[in-house]
């Protein structure tokens, strides 16, 4: 397996490191003069393997964190700021300006997605395009939300004009595996609803935000979006301790979410919008279409090397077909192509975390010590920046690979005889995001679906787990999520219902009519957004 770089297309070459010197606070691009952290790719750009220096980013700490927070607090101004009181139409125009500028940065962002996190070229392009589409869909859904609110209701002699209003200041922390898409699935609905934000990019996938910083500056009023760089602990902790954050928006690990919310002095005031870890299982019934199940499990377990919360991280196969499944599945794993992100037909790419191959090896060694076997010939083979996916069987509950979310290329397989076995395991699990169910007998599937729908939040029938389409709810039970993220739901997750009530009197009705006629209020409006 090659570990050094093949010929790099000119369009994707790193001709010189990108040293990010500016950061955005209160509408001003400030130049950083302090310490910096170098950003390396595990992809090599030399004939002899060596990590590639991509650039550097500011290594900020408490002072800058609190300065950014103060800017966001001032811009929100306890709900009286320009942004939270602005007309919906005007906020939408700001967002449209931002996404138009963003579209011009596609090539730069895609290149850094490949280099920073090792995402394939097609998947990097898809992440960018999907994010742009998500923004446009969010704008359209916000228009529809406003249209549905452009009316008065009457009950028991009281008129009500009900809208959704912002919550306040949002601390936004995104993940490294989808550093653009999932981060913006938090940030975009948060700000378009009238909130202000402090945003820190993920530890990997940080330089790809650089081309977009000026777009934030040009598109939104000062203080609405503030962009910082640095370690999460050094930035997020001091911000949370102030108690001035109204919403923690985070996609990452539950331990991080717990640690941050525990630092907030008034956690009852803190709204949580969290996408967390999962241990999504596949359940392959004896009557499943085996070829289809293998293809879907392959994609589910190893898309982006399994570095997705929605990845299939454990596979249950009925004992009657487990031998055939394992043989064919293992062969298919070894047939996958490893290479650099821009190479055609590549499925497996270098891992962005330098320590991940060793961690995966620890999981493999633990499983082997406790009775599992590696079924595929290439399983566990090491290179400088990768470890080949290992199919492990039989896996038992005392193995780390069963208990921990591996977030990488190793695939535990268990056999079952009674369907209650995987159901009980899922019920006992700390996670409850999704499941993939493979079978065809409706008499067997019907009760299973009914039970699984109460254990997880999405049951995928004869298909791998996934987030999209983005219009569908994305959430989870237990330690897997708080709140729901979708184009429709995210707008509601980052807002609260608020309304003006008035008794049906001549005085009140006259006031309302004049407010509507003069358009002096941005809140009381029956304008229909086209």
């Amino acid at each position: 397996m090659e570990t050094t770089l093949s010929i790099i297309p000119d369009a994707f070459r790193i001709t010189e490191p990108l040293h990010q010197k500016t950061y955005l606070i209160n509408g001003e691009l400030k130049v950083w003069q302090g310490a910096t952290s170098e950003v390396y790719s595990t992809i090599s750009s030399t004939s002899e393997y060596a990590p590639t220096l991509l650039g550097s980013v500011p290594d900020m700490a408490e002072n800058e964190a609190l300065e950014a927070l103060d800017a966001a607090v001032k811009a929100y101004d306890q709900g009286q700021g320009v942004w939270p009181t602005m007309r919906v139409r005007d906020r939408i125009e700001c967002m449209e300006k931002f996404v138009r500028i963003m579209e011009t940065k596609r090539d730069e962002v895609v290149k850094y997605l490949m280099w920073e996190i090792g995402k394939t070229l097609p998947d990097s392009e898809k992440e960018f395009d999907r994010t742009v589409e998500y923004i446009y869909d969010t704008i359209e859904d916000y228009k529809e939300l406003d249209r549905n609110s452009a009316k008065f209701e009457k009950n028991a002699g009281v008129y009500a004009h009900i809208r959704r209003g912002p919550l306040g200041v949002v601390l936004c922390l995104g993940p490294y595996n989808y550093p653009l898409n999932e981060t913006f699935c938090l940030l975009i609905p948060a700000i378009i609803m009238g909130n202000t934000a402090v945003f820190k990019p993920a530890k990997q996938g940080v330089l790809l935000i650089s081309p977009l910083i000026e777009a934030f500056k040009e598109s939104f009023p000062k203080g609405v979006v503030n962009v910082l760089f640095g370690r999460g602990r050094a930035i997020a902790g001091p911000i949370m301790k102030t108690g001035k954050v109204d919403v923690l928006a985070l996609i990452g690990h539950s331990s991080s979410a717990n640690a941050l919310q525990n630092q907030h002095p008034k956690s009852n005031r803190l709204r949580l919008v969290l996408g967390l870890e999962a241990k999504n299982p596949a359940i392959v019934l004896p009557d499943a279409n085996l070829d289809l199940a293998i293809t879907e499990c392959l994609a589910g377990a190893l898309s982006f090397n399994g570095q997705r919360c929605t990845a299939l991280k454990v596979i249950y196969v009925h004992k009657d077909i487990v031998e055939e499944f394992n043989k064919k599945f293992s062969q298919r794993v070894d047939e996958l192509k490893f290479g650099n992100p821009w190479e055609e037909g590549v499925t497996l790419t270098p891992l962005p975390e330098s320590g991940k191959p060793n961690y995966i090896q620890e999981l493999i060694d633990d499983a082997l010590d406790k009775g599992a076997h590696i079924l595929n010939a290439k399983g566990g083979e090491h290179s400088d920046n990768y470890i080949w996916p290992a199919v492990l069987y039989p896996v038992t509950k005392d193995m780390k690979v069963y208990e921990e979310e591996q977030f990488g290329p190793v695939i535990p397989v268990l056999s079952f005889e009674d369907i209650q076995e995987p159901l009980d395991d899922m019920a006992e699990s700390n996670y409850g995001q999704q499941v993939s169910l493979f079978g065809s007998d409706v008499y067997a599937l019907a009760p299973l679906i009914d039970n699984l729908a109460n254990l997880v939040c999405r049951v995928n029938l004869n298909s791998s787990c996934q987030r999209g389409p983005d219009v569908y709810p994305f959430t989870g039970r237990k330690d897997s999520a708080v709140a729901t993220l979708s184009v429709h739901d995210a707008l509601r997750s980052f807002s609260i219902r608020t309304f003006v009530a008035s008794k049906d009197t001549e005085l009140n009705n006259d006031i309302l009519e004049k407010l509507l006629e003069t358009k002096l209020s941005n809140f009381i409006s029956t304008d229909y957004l086209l």
Side-chain angles (χ1 to χ4, degrees), residues 15 46 57 133 163 165 176 194 234 239 250 285 290 297 412 427 448 501 522:
T15 55
T46 60
V57 293
E133 181 181 0
R163 292 188 174 277
Y176 82 80
I239 288 176
L250 177 148
L285 300 176
L290 204 57
C297 286
L448 265 180
N522 292 338

Side-chain angles (χ1 to χ4, degrees), residues 361-395:
Q361 185 63 57
E362 290 175 10
L363 296 180
I364 294 172
D365 291 343
D366 175 75
L368 296 180
D369 288 344
K370 294 172 181 174
H373 301 282
I374 299 176
L375 300 185
N376 55 319
K378 293 183 181 180
E381 287 185 5
H382 278 259
S383 68
D384 293 304
N385 53 13
Y386 198 67
I387 181 169
W388 195 272
V391 181
L392 298 174
Y393 180 82
V395 167

Side-chain angles (χ1 to χ4, degrees), residues 171-202:
L171 174 60
C172 181
L173 305 169
Y176 82 80
N177 59 334
Y178 287 89
L180 183 71
N181 182 258
E182 290 206 340
T183 300
F184 278 30
C185 286
L186 298 175
L187 185 61
I188 297 303
I191 58 180
I192 202 172
M193 289 305 300
N195 303 288
T196 61
V198 176
F199 159 48
K200 189 197 81 66

Side-chain angles (χ1 to χ4, degrees), residues 139-406:
I139 290 170
E140 288 305 312
D141 204 271
Y142 190 28
K143 287 181 180 179
E144 184 63 23
L145 177 62
D146 189 73
R147 292 175 193 132
N148 293 336
S149 302
K151 62 183 180 181
F152 284 82
E153 300 178 16
K154 185 180 180 182
N155 191 285
V158 177
Y159 283 108
H161 189 55
I162 306 170
R163 292 188 174 277
R164 296 200 73 90
L167 295 165
V169 176
V170 179
L171 174 60
C172 181
L173 305 169
Y176 82 80
N177 59 334
Y178 287 89
L180 183 71
N181 182 258
E182 290 206 340
T183 300
F184 278 30
C185 286
L186 298 175
L187 185 61
I188 297 303
I191 58 180
I192 202 172
M193 289 305 300
N195 303 288
T196 61
V198 176
F199 159 48
K200 189 197 81 66
K203 58 182 179 179
Q204 277 97 18
V206 58
L207 289 175
L208 62 88
I209 298 297
S210 300
L212 303 177
I213 292 180
E214 192 163 342
F216 284 120
K217 174 185 179 297
E218 295 297 324
S219 304
F220 300 102
K222 63 180 184 179
V224 172
V225 182
N226 304 275
V227 184
L228 298 176
F229 299 91
R231 293 179 298 120
R233 185 176 300 176
I235 290 176
I239 288 176
M240 293 297 291
K241 288 176 182 177
T242 66
K244 295 178 181 179
V245 170
D246 300 291
V247 186
L248 173 61
L250 177 148
I251 295 180
H253 200 276
S254 58
S255 60
S256 300
N258 288 334
L260 285 173
Q261 61 181 299
N262 287 340
Q263 293 182 70
H264 198 288
K266 292 191 175 182
S267 57
N268 62 295
R269 294 186 180 184
L270 184 65
R271 174 78 66 95
L272 300 175
V273 182
L274 309 174
L276 305 171
E277 70 268 30
K279 189 80 174 178
N280 292 337
I283 300 175
V284 185
L285 300 176
D287 66 328
N289 180 320
L290 204 57
D291 289 337
L292 172 63
I294 288 170
T295 296
E296 291 291 328
C297 286
L298 197 69
L302 292 176
S303 290
F304 192 43
N305 298 305
Q307 298 167 124
R308 303 176 300 122
C309 65
T310 55
L312 290 175
K313 299 191 176 80
V314 59
I315 300 176
Y316 292 89
V317 186
H318 192 273
K319 70 176 186 63
D320 291 348
I321 59 170
V322 69
E323 184 176 349
E324 184 181 3
F325 177 93
N326 284 342
K327 180 180 179 180
K328 291 182 176 180
F329 184 75
S330 298
Q331 182 179 348
R332 291 283 299 277
V333 170
D334 281 350
E335 290 171 353
L336 296 174
K337 180 180 178 181
F338 172 82
N340 290 300
W342 44 81
E343 293 177 35
E344 188 172 352
V346 161
T347 302
L348 308 175
T349 55
L351 298 170
E353 295 178 290
S354 59
K356 182 58 67 75
N358 288 337
Y359 168 69
I360 297 298
Q361 185 63 57
E362 290 175 10
L363 296 180
I364 294 172
D365 291 343
D366 175 75
L368 296 180
D369 288 344
K370 294 172 181 174
H373 301 282
I374 299 176
L375 300 185
N376 55 319
K378 293 183 181 180
E381 287 185 5
H382 278 259
S383 68
D384 293 304
N385 53 13
Y386 198 67
I387 181 169
W388 195 272
V391 181
L392 298 174
Y393 180 82
V395 167
T396 54
K397 295 181 185 180
D398 61 337
M399 298 177 186
K400 290 182 180 179
V401 75
Y402 172 85
E403 185 66 27
E404 297 179 16
E405 185 199 29
Q406 62 267 42

Side-chain angles (χ1 to χ4, degrees), residues 134 138 141-142 145 164-165 167 182 184-193 195 247 249 271 273 467 470-474 483-496:
Y134 179 90
T138 297
D141 204 271
Y142 190 28
L145 177 62
R164 296 200 73 90
L167 295 165
E182 290 206 340
F184 278 30
C185 286
L186 298 175
L187 185 61
I188 297 303
I191 58 180
I192 202 172
M193 289 305 300
N195 303 288
V247 186
R271 174 78 66 95
V273 182
R467 172 169 180 157
D470 287 323
V471 296
Y472 291 160
F474 180 59
T484 302
L485 292 172
S486 70
V487 171
H488 178 81
D489 294 297
L491 294 173
R492 288 153 179 81
S493 295
F494 286 102
S495 62
I496 190 168

